[in-house]
Amino acid sequence: MEVLDSILLGIIQGLTEFLPVSSSGHLELGKAVLGDKSIPEESLLFTVVLHFATALSTIVVFRKDIWLLLKGILKFEWNDDLQFASKIAISMLPAVIVGLFFEEQLEQLFGGNILLVGFMLLITAILLFFADKAKNTNKNVSFSNAFIIGVSQAIAMLPGISRSGATISTSVLLGNDKTKAARFSFLMVVPLIFGKIAKDVLSGDLSLESQNITALSIGFIAAFISGLFACTWMIRLVKKSKLSYFAIYCAIVGLIAITYSFLN
């Protein structure tokens, strides 16, 4: 992978991670358009590295929230902070199960399969459309909600299903407040990404011997910097803008991807 390609893909990841438009889907489309010929395992590694970068940018932006959350947890009381952390843990379970038992099958989907990405973007568009029509969205995320949102996060491991779009839409359809749904969505993925990196490092699956370290590093930096910008500016956009705008965008890109796949 060329350095310029890594920069472009890093920027794509950083800008699309926090909007409900599927960052992984856009990465696969970007790699296909740029002519990336890496095998699925290498393609997935690059995707994981970029997600790791945006997870770090999330921590930087939400550092005050995370610090207060950690202080509340260390009080060892059944307070709001410990309850919130418990909900985050519950939301991780479905994705952890999928990652442990279906990792190899999942890897095969990260190889420029833009037809799949196109159809998954259409599903994302449908989710966002119905979430935009949801009424009475004023509840807090409950423990049962956390698990259901976690299921949607696990499904969103497919390229083209927006993780934030699926989790925010699911949360809103369950009647939860959009602002709280967005905050929960952005924070719930951080421990999951760090857990994924730790698992691969300890198991030896995350091998860098055959990888272009320069391309990975530059892609990481590009994703981190653009992620900082996106997370401070675009989170407001997710909270205030109508989800139907993103539904239209996903539908258009999905149709373009499907058309492109049939023409090539």
Side-chain angles (χ1 to χ4, degrees):
M1 184 177 291
E2 300 295 330
V3 171
L4 180 59
D5 293 350
S6 298
I7 295 174
L8 291 174
L9 293 174
I11 293 173
I12 290 173
Q13 163 65 20
L15 294 179
T16 59
E17 172 65 21
F18 303 103
L19 285 176
V21 296
S22 178
S23 58
S24 62
H26 278 71
L27 282 177
E28 291 306 302
L29 293 176
K31 284 184 282 190
V33 172
L34 293 172
D36 176 32
K37 302 301 182 182
S38 60
I39 62 175
E41 290 80 2
E42 293 172 336
S43 184
L44 182 59
L45 172 62
F46 188 74
T47 301
V48 169
V49 168
L50 297 191
H51 276 83
F52 181 60
T54 48
L56 286 178
S57 67
T58 305
I59 290 175
V60 172
V61 173
F62 281 99
R63 60 189 180 279
K64 292 182 179 179
D65 297 67
I66 294 174
W67 175 243
L68 291 174
L69 188 63
L70 289 174
K71 288 202 299 184
I73 293 172
L74 292 176
K75 292 180 180 178
F76 300 105
E77 299 174 354
W78 191 240
N79 52 30
D80 291 341
D81 295 314
L82 185 55
Q83 290 181 43
F84 185 84
S86 300
K87 293 172 185 176
I88 292 290
I90 291 172
S91 73
M92 293 169 53
L93 293 177
V96 169
I97 293 172
V98 171
L100 288 175
F101 295 101
F102 301 100
E103 185 174 18
E104 292 184 6
Q105 292 87 338
L106 192 63
E107 285 177 350
Q108 300 306 312
L109 300 177
F110 286 82
N113 189 345
I114 62 174
L115 180 61
L116 173 65
V117 171
F119 279 113
M120 295 301 102
L121 280 170
L122 292 183
I123 293 176
T124 296
I126 293 171
L127 274 174
L128 293 171
F129 175 79
F130 282 109
D132 191 56
K133 304 300 180 183
K135 305 296 182 182
N136 300 321
T137 55
N138 53 13
K139 297 192 304 182
N140 294 320
V141 177
S142 66
F143 285 94
S144 59
N145 286 172
F147 182 79
I148 297 172
I149 296 169
V151 171
S152 67
Q153 176 170 250
I155 296 173
M157 294 171 78
L158 295 170
I161 297 289
S162 166
R163 192 204 65 80
S164 62
T167 53
I168 292 173
S169 294
T170 300
S171 186
V172 170
L173 288 170
L174 290 170
N176 295 308
D177 176 77
K178 286 185 179 180
T179 300
K180 294 176 181 177
R183 177 174 178 264
F184 189 81
S185 171
F186 293 135
L187 290 176
M188 68 188 284
V189 73
V190 174
L192 198 63
I193 292 177
F194 278 98
K196 166 65 177 173
I197 296 292
K199 172 185 174 295
D200 289 344
V201 169
L202 293 174
S203 64
D205 292 338
L206 198 63
S207 174
L208 299 176
E209 294 180 0
S210 61
Q211 305 298 324
N212 186 334
I213 303 299
T214 301
L216 284 174
S217 301
I218 291 177
F220 177 91
I221 294 171
F224 177 74
I225 294 175
S226 60
L228 286 175
F229 168 76
C231 197
T232 53
W233 178 62
M234 293 185 182
I235 283 178
R236 268 186 233 115
L237 197 59
V238 172
K239 295 176 181 178
K240 295 180 180 179
S241 296
K242 291 186 176 180
L243 294 176
S244 59
Y245 296 152
F246 300 110
I248 294 171
Y249 174 82
C250 287
I252 292 173
V253 176
L255 291 173
I256 292 174
I258 292 171
T259 303
Y260 180 88
S261 67
F262 281 119
L263 295 178
N264 289 273

